[in-house]
Amino acid sequence: MEQNYKLTILDFWGENCLPCKKVAPIIDQLESEYYQTVEVKKINVELKENEDLLIKYKVRSIPTVIFLKEDKIVDTYVGPHPKSTYEQLIKKHLC
């Protein structure tokens, strides 16, 4: 049975990106806390196979965290932010 998520989070990151390493555990926590309603996709910007996504979502800096609802961008955050910021957005878009 396929899961119908209400919200998708795209986490654009890179191996040598220190701010990305700050965001990663936060996104991991949110993924486990909201696993029934939120899908998290981690996208390594250094992989050639992800170039189309970088263009599609106009990612210019990392970390970039994009929130999608019904395949439409509803919020984008660039740079590291506290867990509370991401959590507020999740709650806002799940209503």
Side-chain angles (χ1 to χ4, degrees), residues 48-85:
K48 188 163 182 60
E49 64 207 43
N50 292 330
E51 283 181 3
D52 289 346
L53 292 172
L54 297 174
I55 294 166
K56 178 179 179 178
Y57 293 107
K58 299 177 180 154
V59 174
R60 307 226 189 289
S61 299
I62 53 173
T64 294
V65 178
I66 297 175
F67 292 77
L68 301 174
K69 191 169 187 176
E70 298 175 5
D71 290 326
K72 293 184 179 124
I73 297 173
V74 291
D75 268 304
T76 301
Y77 273 76
V78 179
H81 294 277
K83 180 181 176 185
S84 60
T85 299

Side-chain angles (χ1 to χ4, degrees), residues 17-29:
C17 168
L18 292 178
C20 297
K21 291 178 183 190
K22 288 177 127 180
V23 171
I26 294 169
I27 298 298
D28 290 344
Q29 283 180 333

Side-chain angles (χ1 to χ4, degrees), residues 15-53:
E15 287 287 331
N16 296 315
C17 168
L18 292 178
C20 297
K21 291 178 183 190
K22 288 177 127 180
V23 171
I26 294 169
I27 298 298
D28 290 344
Q29 283 180 333
L30 293 170
E31 182 177 25
S32 66
E33 290 171 18
Y34 293 93
Y35 71 93
Q36 293 180 326
T37 54
V38 176
E39 176 183 29
V40 173
K41 295 182 180 180
K42 295 181 179 243
I43 301 157
N44 186 337
V45 300
E46 297 165 3
L47 299 178
K48 188 163 182 60
E49 64 207 43
N50 292 330
E51 283 181 3
D52 289 346
L53 292 172

